[in-house]
Amino acid sequence: MDKIEITGGKPLNGSIEISGAKNAALPLIITSLLTPDTLTLKNVPNLRDVNQLTKILGNHGTDLAVDGKRASGNKYIGETMHLTSRDIVDTTAPYEMVSTMRASFWVLGPLIARCHQAKVSLPGGCAIGTRPVDLHLQGLEDLGATIDLEDGYVIAKAPGGLKGGRVRFQKVSVGATINVLMAATLAKGETIIENAAVEPEIGDVANCLVKMGAKIEGIGRKTLQIQGVDHLEGAVHTVLPDRIETGTFLMAVAATGGDVILKGAVPDTLTAAIEVLKEAGVEIEEVSAGLRVSRKNGALKPIHVETQPHPGFPTDLQAQLMALMTIAEGRSVIRETIFENRFMHVQELARLGANISLNGDTAIIEGVKELRGAPVMATDLRASVSLVIAGLVASGKTQINRVYHLDRGFEKIEEKLGNCGAEINRVSE
Ligand code: EPZ
């Protein structure tokens, strides 16, 4: 299994190209199940989760072609994928596939919308919390599907097709919003989704669906209005840049010091995180290429933050912010309100010398003068990258085990950081 070794203490200087967003690419790939025509997606990041999802779609009958050459020759520009789901040959998403990646559960909406039936394994719990799917199922029932649970599978049926309806989510959910939105595009009549999530990735999916012929009003707002259509067509769509990768590099530079341009970053998609970092004393400015981040001198100021659905501070940047605050001057408080168990990085950060105590959903971080390198391991994607940030500032060598978590969501991270002066290497065994 690969490891990453970092010798910390080097400032980051230069530029980093931001990749396409994982959490937009995954549902965009799934939208191809809604049409027999070809959906072409550009700027798809080359990630383990993306590769895994294309295998799952292959099982349903989707043909995949990836452009062999990239015209610009820029290795971070991302892949162009052509997905064609001419015939859905299997409406079952088996446990072996869904259990390896939670977002694959989102095939449920498109399958029932297009094939009027689907059998999809329940995703089960995961390292960051229980993560139920009740909102997904309630939303699809509101569109006329009957749902049964049998042997760990969701069996959904809608003989004659889904019918538009009113869906009001009791809690904001990214996945449930995407699942029901995709399903509603092919339902008969009008669907209203209230209390929809407004994460930028949902807007990206909705914009792609509109290109495919869907009729959606209210994109980017908490109420979505969808007029169902008979069929969707092929389209060409470019995946939006990854705001979580952007935020992660902002925090890496804030931690190590230096001056870096994040090319292609879209500041509007991470306003809350930028505000928090500015409050902590990090310099961030919009430039024509994207964002410029620097910290030349002066200690980091502590912060008080709680995670919230967009446009609040994202849970997917909580671990990275915590790594940064371990070296701030004073006490920071970070409250996690989205997932009940997203603090696995705390113990590992402690191995590097961080002083963090937990009280329920709240972490109290007393800044220390320095972190010291050590072997560490992480159990989820964002926790792993928080250890990379900590390793970049720690004195001596940090060895990060279970790198496959990192490969699920960060494209060529060691190359991107290495090009800016970090001493970071992948060790294959
Ligand atoms: C998406 O997960 C993202 N995944 C997550 O990113 C992200 O952390 C999360 O949204 C929140 O922003 C992808 O985009 C692939 P939710 P999702 O449904 O859709 C509860 C990463 O690191 N809930 O918005 O699964 C749930 O338990 C990943 O890239 C229900 O109660 O998250 C949680 O407390 C990790 N019932 C809250 O809602 C439901 O039916 C928000 O979850 C669904 C969710």
CSV table of all heavy atoms in Angstrom, one decimal, residues 22-24 26-27 102-103 106 128 130-137 171-176 178 197 199 201 243-244 309 314-316 337-340 342 380-382 408, ligand 1:
chain,number,residue,atom,x,y,z
A,22,LYS,N,-14.7,16.8,-7.5
A,22,LYS,CA,-15.1,15.4,-7.3
A,22,LYS,C,-16.6,15.3,-7.1
A,22,LYS,O,-17.3,14.5,-7.7
A,22,LYS,CB,-14.4,14.8,-6.1
A,22,LYS,CG,-15.0,13.4,-5.7
A,22,LYS,CD,-14.3,12.8,-4.5
A,22,LYS,CE,-14.8,13.4,-3.2
A,22,LYS,NZ,-15.9,12.7,-2.6
A,23,ASN,N,-17.1,16.2,-6.2
A,23,ASN,CA,-18.5,16.0,-5.8
A,23,ASN,C,-19.5,16.6,-6.8
A,23,ASN,O,-20.7,16.5,-6.6
A,23,ASN,CB,-18.7,16.7,-4.4
A,23,ASN,CG,-18.1,15.8,-3.3
A,23,ASN,OD1,-17.7,14.6,-3.6
A,23,ASN,ND2,-18.0,16.3,-2.1
A,24,ALA,N,-19.0,17.2,-7.9
A,24,ALA,CA,-19.8,17.5,-9.0
A,24,ALA,C,-19.7,16.4,-10.1
A,24,ALA,O,-20.6,16.0,-10.7
A,24,ALA,CB,-19.4,18.9,-9.6
A,26,LEU,N,-19.1,13.3,-9.8
A,26,LEU,CA,-19.8,12.0,-9.5
A,26,LEU,C,-21.3,12.1,-9.9
A,26,LEU,O,-21.7,11.2,-10.7
A,26,LEU,CB,-19.6,11.6,-8.0
A,26,LEU,CG,-18.2,11.3,-7.5
A,26,LEU,CD1,-18.1,11.1,-6.0
A,26,LEU,CD2,-17.6,10.2,-8.3
A,27,PRO,N,-22.0,13.1,-9.4
A,27,PRO,CA,-23.4,13.1,-9.9
A,27,PRO,C,-23.6,13.4,-11.4
A,27,PRO,O,-24.5,12.9,-12.0
A,27,PRO,CB,-24.1,14.2,-9.0
A,27,PRO,CG,-23.0,15.0,-8.5
A,27,PRO,CD,-21.8,14.1,-8.4
A,102,ARG,N,-20.4,5.7,-1.4
A,102,ARG,CA,-21.7,6.1,-1.0
A,102,ARG,C,-22.5,6.8,-2.1
A,102,ARG,O,-23.7,6.6,-2.3
A,102,ARG,CB,-21.6,7.0,0.2
A,102,ARG,CG,-22.9,7.1,0.9
A,102,ARG,CD,-22.7,8.1,2.1
A,102,ARG,NE,-24.1,8.6,2.3
A,102,ARG,CZ,-25.0,8.0,2.9
A,102,ARG,NH1,-24.8,6.8,3.5
A,102,ARG,NH2,-26.2,8.5,3.0
A,103,ALA,N,-21.8,7.7,-2.9
A,103,ALA,CA,-22.5,8.4,-3.9
A,103,ALA,C,-23.2,7.5,-5.0
A,103,ALA,O,-24.1,8.0,-5.7
A,103,ALA,CB,-21.6,9.4,-4.6
A,106,TRP,N,-26.9,7.2,-5.5
A,106,TRP,CA,-27.6,8.3,-6.3
A,106,TRP,C,-28.1,7.8,-7.6
A,106,TRP,O,-28.8,8.5,-8.3
A,106,TRP,CB,-26.8,9.5,-6.4
A,106,TRP,CG,-26.3,10.1,-5.1
A,106,TRP,CD1,-26.7,9.7,-3.8
A,106,TRP,CD2,-25.4,11.2,-4.9
A,106,TRP,NE1,-26.1,10.5,-2.9
A,106,TRP,CE2,-25.3,11.4,-3.5
A,106,TRP,CE3,-24.7,12.0,-5.7
A,106,TRP,CZ2,-24.5,12.4,-2.9
A,106,TRP,CZ3,-23.8,13.0,-5.2
A,106,TRP,CH2,-23.7,13.2,-3.8
A,128,ILE,N,-17.6,8.5,8.9
A,128,ILE,CA,-17.9,9.8,9.4
A,128,ILE,C,-19.3,10.0,10.1
A,128,ILE,O,-19.6,11.0,10.6
A,128,ILE,CB,-17.7,11.0,8.4
A,128,ILE,CG1,-18.7,10.8,7.2
A,128,ILE,CG2,-16.3,11.0,7.9
A,128,ILE,CD1,-18.6,11.9,6.2
A,130,THR,N,-23.5,7.9,10.6
A,130,THR,CA,-24.5,6.9,10.2
A,130,THR,C,-25.0,7.1,8.8
A,130,THR,O,-25.2,6.2,8.0
A,130,THR,CB,-25.7,6.8,11.1
A,130,THR,OG1,-26.2,8.1,11.3
A,130,THR,CG2,-25.3,6.2,12.5
A,131,ARG,N,-25.2,8.3,8.4
A,131,ARG,CA,-25.5,8.7,7.0
A,131,ARG,C,-26.7,7.9,6.5
A,131,ARG,O,-26.6,7.1,5.6
A,131,ARG,CB,-24.3,8.6,6.1
A,131,ARG,CG,-23.2,9.5,6.6
A,131,ARG,CD,-22.0,9.5,5.7
A,131,ARG,NE,-22.2,10.4,4.5
A,131,ARG,CZ,-21.3,10.5,3.5
A,131,ARG,NH1,-20.2,9.7,3.6
A,131,ARG,NH2,-21.5,11.3,2.5
A,132,PRO,N,-27.9,8.2,7.0
A,132,PRO,CA,-29.1,7.5,6.6
A,132,PRO,C,-29.5,8.0,5.2
A,132,PRO,O,-29.0,9.0,4.7
A,132,PRO,CB,-30.2,7.8,7.6
A,132,PRO,CG,-29.7,9.1,8.2
A,132,PRO,CD,-28.2,9.1,8.1
A,133,VAL,N,-30.5,7.3,4.5
A,133,VAL,CA,-31.0,7.7,3.2
A,133,VAL,C,-32.5,8.0,3.2
A,133,VAL,O,-33.2,8.0,2.2
A,133,VAL,CB,-30.7,6.7,2.1
A,133,VAL,CG1,-29.2,6.7,1.8
A,133,VAL,CG2,-31.2,5.3,2.5
A,134,ASP,N,-33.1,8.2,4.4
A,134,ASP,CA,-34.5,8.4,4.5
A,134,ASP,C,-35.0,9.5,3.7
A,134,ASP,O,-36.1,9.4,3.1
A,134,ASP,CB,-34.9,8.6,6.0
A,134,ASP,CG,-34.2,9.7,6.7
A,134,ASP,OD1,-32.9,9.8,6.4
A,134,ASP,OD2,-34.7,10.5,7.4
A,135,LEU,N,-34.3,10.6,3.6
A,135,LEU,CA,-34.7,11.8,2.8
A,135,LEU,C,-34.8,11.4,1.3
A,135,LEU,O,-35.7,11.9,0.6
A,135,LEU,CB,-33.8,13.0,3.0
A,135,LEU,CG,-33.7,13.4,4.5
A,135,LEU,CD1,-32.5,14.4,4.6
A,135,LEU,CD2,-35.0,14.1,4.9
A,136,HIS,N,-33.8,10.6,0.8
A,136,HIS,CA,-33.8,10.2,-0.6
A,136,HIS,C,-35.1,9.4,-0.9
A,136,HIS,O,-35.8,9.7,-1.9
A,136,HIS,CB,-32.7,9.3,-0.9
A,136,HIS,CG,-31.3,9.8,-0.7
A,136,HIS,ND1,-30.4,10.0,-1.7
A,136,HIS,CD2,-30.7,10.3,0.4
A,136,HIS,CE1,-29.3,10.5,-1.2
A,136,HIS,NE2,-29.4,10.7,0.1
A,137,LEU,N,-35.4,8.5,0.1
A,137,LEU,CA,-36.6,7.6,-0.2
A,137,LEU,C,-37.9,8.4,-0.1
A,137,LEU,O,-38.8,8.2,-0.9
A,137,LEU,CB,-36.5,6.4,0.8
A,137,LEU,CG,-35.2,5.6,0.8
A,137,LEU,CD1,-35.3,4.4,1.7
A,137,LEU,CD2,-34.9,5.1,-0.6
A,171,LYS,N,-34.6,18.1,6.4
A,171,LYS,CA,-33.2,18.5,6.7
A,171,LYS,C,-32.5,18.7,5.4
A,171,LYS,O,-32.9,18.1,4.4
A,171,LYS,CB,-32.6,17.3,7.4
A,171,LYS,CG,-31.2,17.4,8.0
A,171,LYS,CD,-30.8,16.2,8.8
A,171,LYS,CE,-29.4,16.4,9.4
A,171,LYS,NZ,-29.0,15.4,10.2
A,172,VAL,N,-31.5,19.6,5.3
A,172,VAL,CA,-30.8,19.9,4.1
A,172,VAL,C,-29.9,18.7,3.7
A,172,VAL,O,-29.0,18.3,4.5
A,172,VAL,CB,-30.0,21.2,4.2
A,172,VAL,CG1,-29.3,21.4,2.9
A,172,VAL,CG2,-30.9,22.3,4.5
A,173,SER,N,-30.1,18.1,2.6
A,173,SER,CA,-29.2,17.0,2.1
A,173,SER,C,-28.8,17.2,0.7
A,173,SER,O,-29.6,17.4,-0.2
A,173,SER,CB,-29.9,15.7,2.3
A,173,SER,OG,-29.3,14.7,1.5
A,174,VAL,N,-27.5,17.2,0.5
A,174,VAL,CA,-26.9,17.3,-0.8
A,174,VAL,C,-27.4,16.1,-1.7
A,174,VAL,O,-27.9,16.3,-2.8
A,174,VAL,CB,-25.3,17.3,-0.8
A,174,VAL,CG1,-24.7,17.2,-2.2
A,174,VAL,CG2,-24.9,18.6,0.0
A,175,GLY,N,-27.1,14.9,-1.2
A,175,GLY,CA,-27.4,13.7,-2.0
A,175,GLY,C,-28.9,13.5,-2.3
A,175,GLY,O,-29.3,13.2,-3.4
A,176,ALA,N,-29.8,13.8,-1.3
A,176,ALA,CA,-31.2,13.7,-1.5
A,176,ALA,C,-31.7,14.7,-2.5
A,176,ALA,O,-32.5,14.4,-3.4
A,176,ALA,CB,-32.0,13.8,-0.2
A,178,ILE,N,-30.0,16.0,-5.0
A,178,ILE,CA,-29.5,15.5,-6.3
A,178,ILE,C,-30.3,14.3,-6.8
A,178,ILE,O,-30.8,14.3,-8.0
A,178,ILE,CB,-28.0,15.2,-6.3
A,178,ILE,CG1,-27.2,16.4,-6.1
A,178,ILE,CG2,-27.6,14.4,-7.5
A,178,ILE,CD1,-25.7,16.2,-6.0
A,197,ALA,N,-30.8,21.6,-0.9
A,197,ALA,CA,-29.4,22.0,-0.7
A,197,ALA,C,-28.9,22.9,-1.8
A,197,ALA,O,-29.4,22.8,-2.9
A,197,ALA,CB,-28.5,20.8,-0.6
A,199,GLU,N,-25.5,23.7,-2.5
A,199,GLU,CA,-24.1,23.5,-2.8
A,199,GLU,C,-23.8,23.8,-4.3
A,199,GLU,O,-24.6,23.4,-5.1
A,199,GLU,CB,-23.6,22.1,-2.4
A,199,GLU,CG,-23.1,21.9,-1.0
A,199,GLU,CD,-24.2,22.2,0.1
A,199,GLU,OE1,-25.4,22.4,-0.2
A,199,GLU,OE2,-23.8,22.1,1.3
A,201,GLU,N,-22.1,22.4,-6.4
A,201,GLU,CA,-22.1,21.1,-7.2
A,201,GLU,C,-23.5,20.8,-7.7
A,201,GLU,O,-23.7,20.3,-8.8
A,201,GLU,CB,-21.5,20.0,-6.4
A,201,GLU,CG,-20.0,20.1,-6.0
A,201,GLU,CD,-19.8,21.1,-4.8
A,201,GLU,OE1,-20.7,21.3,-4.1
A,201,GLU,OE2,-18.6,21.6,-4.7
A,243,ARG,N,-14.0,23.3,-5.1
A,243,ARG,CA,-13.9,24.3,-4.0
A,243,ARG,C,-13.2,23.7,-2.8
A,243,ARG,O,-12.6,24.4,-2.0
A,243,ARG,CB,-15.3,24.9,-3.7
A,243,ARG,CG,-16.2,24.0,-3.1
A,243,ARG,CD,-17.6,24.5,-3.0
A,243,ARG,NE,-18.5,23.4,-2.7
A,243,ARG,CZ,-19.1,23.1,-1.5
A,243,ARG,NH1,-18.9,23.9,-0.5
A,243,ARG,NH2,-19.8,22.1,-1.4
A,244,ILE,N,-13.4,22.4,-2.6
A,244,ILE,CA,-12.8,21.8,-1.4
A,244,ILE,C,-11.3,21.6,-1.6
A,244,ILE,O,-10.5,21.9,-0.7
A,244,ILE,CB,-13.5,20.4,-1.1
A,244,ILE,CG1,-15.0,20.6,-0.9
A,244,ILE,CG2,-12.8,19.8,0.1
A,244,ILE,CD1,-15.4,21.6,0.2
A,309,PRO,N,-24.5,23.8,6.2
A,309,PRO,CA,-24.7,23.6,4.7
A,309,PRO,C,-24.3,24.9,4.0
A,309,PRO,O,-24.3,25.9,4.6
A,309,PRO,CB,-26.2,23.3,4.6
A,309,PRO,CG,-26.7,22.9,6.0
A,309,PRO,CD,-25.7,23.6,6.9
A,314,PRO,N,-18.0,24.8,5.0
A,314,PRO,CA,-18.2,23.4,4.7
A,314,PRO,C,-17.6,22.3,5.6
A,314,PRO,O,-16.5,22.5,6.0
A,314,PRO,CB,-17.6,23.2,3.3
A,314,PRO,CG,-16.7,24.4,3.1
A,314,PRO,CD,-17.1,25.5,4.1
A,315,THR,N,-18.4,21.3,5.9
A,315,THR,CA,-17.8,20.2,6.7
A,315,THR,C,-16.6,19.6,6.0
A,315,THR,O,-15.7,19.1,6.7
A,315,THR,CB,-18.9,19.1,7.0
A,315,THR,OG1,-18.3,18.0,7.6
A,315,THR,CG2,-19.6,18.7,5.7
A,316,ASP,N,-16.6,19.6,4.7
A,316,ASP,CA,-15.5,19.0,4.0
A,316,ASP,C,-14.2,19.8,4.1
A,316,ASP,O,-13.1,19.3,3.6
A,316,ASP,CB,-15.8,18.8,2.5
A,316,ASP,CG,-16.9,17.8,2.2
A,316,ASP,OD1,-17.2,17.0,3.2
A,316,ASP,OD2,-17.4,17.7,1.1
A,337,THR,N,-21.5,20.3,12.8
A,337,THR,CA,-22.9,20.1,12.9
A,337,THR,C,-23.5,19.2,11.8
A,337,THR,O,-24.7,18.9,11.9
A,337,THR,CB,-23.7,21.5,12.8
A,337,THR,OG1,-23.7,21.9,11.4
A,337,THR,CG2,-23.1,22.6,13.7
A,338,ILE,N,-22.7,18.8,10.9
A,338,ILE,CA,-23.3,18.0,9.7
A,338,ILE,C,-23.2,16.5,10.0
A,338,ILE,O,-24.1,15.8,9.9
A,338,ILE,CB,-22.6,18.3,8.4
A,338,ILE,CG1,-22.6,19.9,8.2
A,338,ILE,CG2,-23.3,17.6,7.2
A,338,ILE,CD1,-23.9,20.5,7.8
A,339,PHE,N,-22.0,16.1,10.4
A,339,PHE,CA,-21.8,14.6,10.6
A,339,PHE,C,-21.3,14.4,12.1
A,339,PHE,O,-20.5,15.1,12.6
A,339,PHE,CB,-20.7,14.1,9.7
A,339,PHE,CG,-21.2,14.0,8.2
A,339,PHE,CD1,-20.6,14.9,7.3
A,339,PHE,CD2,-22.2,13.2,7.8
A,339,PHE,CE1,-21.0,14.9,6.0
A,339,PHE,CE2,-22.6,13.2,6.5
A,339,PHE,CZ,-22.0,14.1,5.6
A,340,GLU,N,-21.9,13.3,12.7
A,340,GLU,CA,-21.7,13.2,14.1
A,340,GLU,C,-20.3,12.6,14.5
A,340,GLU,O,-19.9,12.7,15.6
A,340,GLU,CB,-22.8,12.3,14.7
A,340,GLU,CG,-22.8,10.9,14.4
A,340,GLU,CD,-23.7,10.5,13.2
A,340,GLU,OE1,-23.8,11.3,12.3
A,340,GLU,OE2,-24.1,9.4,13.2
A,342,ARG,N,-17.1,13.1,12.7
A,342,ARG,CA,-16.1,13.5,11.7
A,342,ARG,C,-14.9,14.1,12.4
A,342,ARG,O,-14.4,15.2,12.1
A,342,ARG,CB,-16.7,14.5,10.7
A,342,ARG,CG,-16.0,14.4,9.4
A,342,ARG,CD,-16.6,15.2,8.3
A,342,ARG,NE,-16.1,14.7,7.1
A,342,ARG,CZ,-16.4,15.2,5.9
A,342,ARG,NH1,-17.2,16.2,5.8
A,342,ARG,NH2,-15.9,14.7,4.8
A,380,ASP,N,-10.6,8.7,6.6
A,380,ASP,CA,-11.4,9.2,5.5
A,380,ASP,C,-10.6,10.3,4.8
A,380,ASP,O,-9.5,10.7,5.2
A,380,ASP,CB,-12.8,9.7,6.1
A,380,ASP,CG,-12.7,11.1,6.6
A,380,ASP,OD1,-12.8,12.0,5.8
A,380,ASP,OD2,-12.6,11.3,7.8
A,381,LEU,N,-11.3,10.6,3.7
A,381,LEU,CA,-10.6,11.5,2.7
A,381,LEU,C,-10.1,12.8,3.2
A,381,LEU,O,-8.9,13.2,3.1
A,381,LEU,CB,-11.6,11.7,1.6
A,381,LEU,CG,-11.4,12.8,0.5
A,381,LEU,CD1,-10.1,12.5,-0.2
A,381,LEU,CD2,-12.6,12.8,-0.4
A,382,ARG,N,-11.0,13.6,3.8
A,382,ARG,CA,-10.6,14.9,4.3
A,382,ARG,C,-9.7,14.9,5.5
A,382,ARG,O,-8.9,15.7,5.7
A,382,ARG,CB,-11.9,15.8,4.6
A,382,ARG,CG,-12.9,15.8,3.5
A,382,ARG,CD,-12.4,16.2,2.1
A,382,ARG,NE,-13.4,16.1,1.1
A,382,ARG,CZ,-13.2,16.3,-0.2
A,382,ARG,NH1,-12.0,16.6,-0.7
A,382,ARG,NH2,-14.2,16.2,-1.1
A,408,ARG,N,-8.8,9.0,-3.3
A,408,ARG,CA,-10.3,9.1,-3.7
A,408,ARG,C,-10.7,10.5,-4.1
A,408,ARG,O,-11.6,10.6,-4.9
A,408,ARG,CB,-11.1,8.7,-2.4
A,408,ARG,CG,-11.1,7.2,-2.1
A,408,ARG,CD,-12.0,6.9,-1.0
A,408,ARG,NE,-13.3,7.6,-1.3
A,408,ARG,CZ,-14.1,8.0,-0.3
A,408,ARG,NH1,-13.9,7.9,0.9
A,408,ARG,NH2,-15.3,8.6,-0.7
B,1,EPZ,C1,-22.3,15.1,0.3
B,1,EPZ,O1,-22.6,13.9,1.0
B,1,EPZ,C2,-20.9,15.0,-0.1
B,1,EPZ,N1,-20.6,13.8,-0.9
B,1,EPZ,C3,-20.0,14.9,1.2
B,1,EPZ,O2,-18.7,15.0,0.8
B,1,EPZ,C4,-20.3,16.2,2.0
B,1,EPZ,O3,-19.6,16.1,3.2
B,1,EPZ,C5,-21.8,16.3,2.3
B,1,EPZ,O4,-22.6,16.2,1.1
B,1,EPZ,C6,-22.2,17.5,3.1
B,1,EPZ,O5,-21.8,18.6,2.4
B,1,EPZ,C7,-20.7,13.9,-2.2
B,1,EPZ,O6,-21.0,15.0,-2.8
B,1,EPZ,C8,-20.3,12.7,-3.0
B,1,EPZ,P1,-25.9,15.0,3.0
B,1,EPZ,P2,-24.1,13.5,1.3
B,1,EPZ,O7,-26.9,14.1,2.5
B,1,EPZ,O8,-25.0,13.9,0.2
B,1,EPZ,C9,-28.1,13.6,6.9
B,1,EPZ,C10,-16.4,14.2,0.8
B,1,EPZ,O9,-15.5,14.2,1.7
B,1,EPZ,N2,-29.0,12.9,6.1
B,1,EPZ,O10,-25.9,16.4,2.6
B,1,EPZ,O11,-24.1,12.0,1.7
B,1,EPZ,C11,-26.7,13.1,7.0
B,1,EPZ,O12,-26.6,12.0,7.8
B,1,EPZ,C12,-17.8,13.8,1.1
B,1,EPZ,O13,-16.2,14.6,-0.4
B,1,EPZ,C13,-30.2,12.3,6.6
B,1,EPZ,O14,-30.4,12.4,7.8
B,1,EPZ,O15,-24.4,14.3,2.6
B,1,EPZ,C14,-25.9,14.3,7.4
B,1,EPZ,O16,-26.0,14.5,8.7
B,1,EPZ,C15,-18.0,13.2,2.5
B,1,EPZ,N3,-31.0,11.5,5.8
B,1,EPZ,C16,-26.7,15.5,6.7
B,1,EPZ,O17,-28.0,14.9,6.4
B,1,EPZ,C17,-30.7,11.4,4.5
B,1,EPZ,O18,-31.5,10.7,3.8
B,1,EPZ,C18,-26.1,16.0,5.4
B,1,EPZ,O19,-25.8,14.9,4.5
B,1,EPZ,C19,-29.6,12.0,3.9
B,1,EPZ,C20,-28.8,12.8,4.7
